[in-house]
Amino acid sequence: MNIKLKFTAQIKDILGRNSDTIEVENGIKLKDLISKLVTRYGKVFESILFDDNGLYRHSNLIIVNQSQVNYDENVTLSDGVEVTLMSPISGG
């Protein structure tokens, strides 16, 4: 199945893109998707999402099909869903 990805702020900047698509197994859980994305996009991406102890940074928001979800809910995703990862925006 295919998942549409959207990125904002720091994530968009480090990846050099604001969207992507990933093919994953049917019924993938959110945490498993995030793990695949860390493998795909590397350490800098991982450092935005997780702290030095491997804990998810809840200042990042996850949106699934226009609804905010919590990383710890570990929702099951379906074909064609859109997952947006929003990192905090800083500046003045």
Side-chain angles (χ1 to χ4, degrees):
M1 68 182 204
N2 289 305
I3 304 286
K4 299 172 193 169
L5 305 168
K6 292 185 116 181
F7 311 112
T8 67
Q10 295 170 323
I11 297 172
K12 178 177 127 180
D13 291 344
I14 63 153
L15 297 180
R17 65 179 76 166
N18 62 4
S19 65
D20 201 355
T21 302
I22 187 170
E23 189 172 333
V24 295
E25 63 275 6
N26 286 334
I28 192 168
K29 298 281 191 176
L30 177 63
K31 288 183 179 183
D32 295 327
L33 173 67
I34 299 293
S35 291
K36 286 184 181 294
L37 297 179
V38 166
T39 299
R40 184 176 190 162
Y41 298 125
K43 290 287 185 190
V44 176
F45 176 82
E46 181 179 24
S47 71
I48 291 172
L49 296 181
F50 297 93
D51 67 18
D52 292 338
N53 296 316
L55 299 174
Y56 185 77
R57 296 179 193 270
H58 290 283
S59 57
N60 293 297
L61 301 179
I62 303 170
I63 311 296
V64 176
N65 283 345
Q66 312 276 331
S67 296
Q68 184 176 338
V69 298
N70 187 314
Y71 176 79
D72 296 323
E73 291 175 47
N74 202 24
V75 297
T76 301
L77 304 172
S78 58
D79 187 42
V81 299
E82 182 177 88
V83 175
T84 302
L85 299 175
M86 303 176 74
S87 55
I89 299 171
S90 63

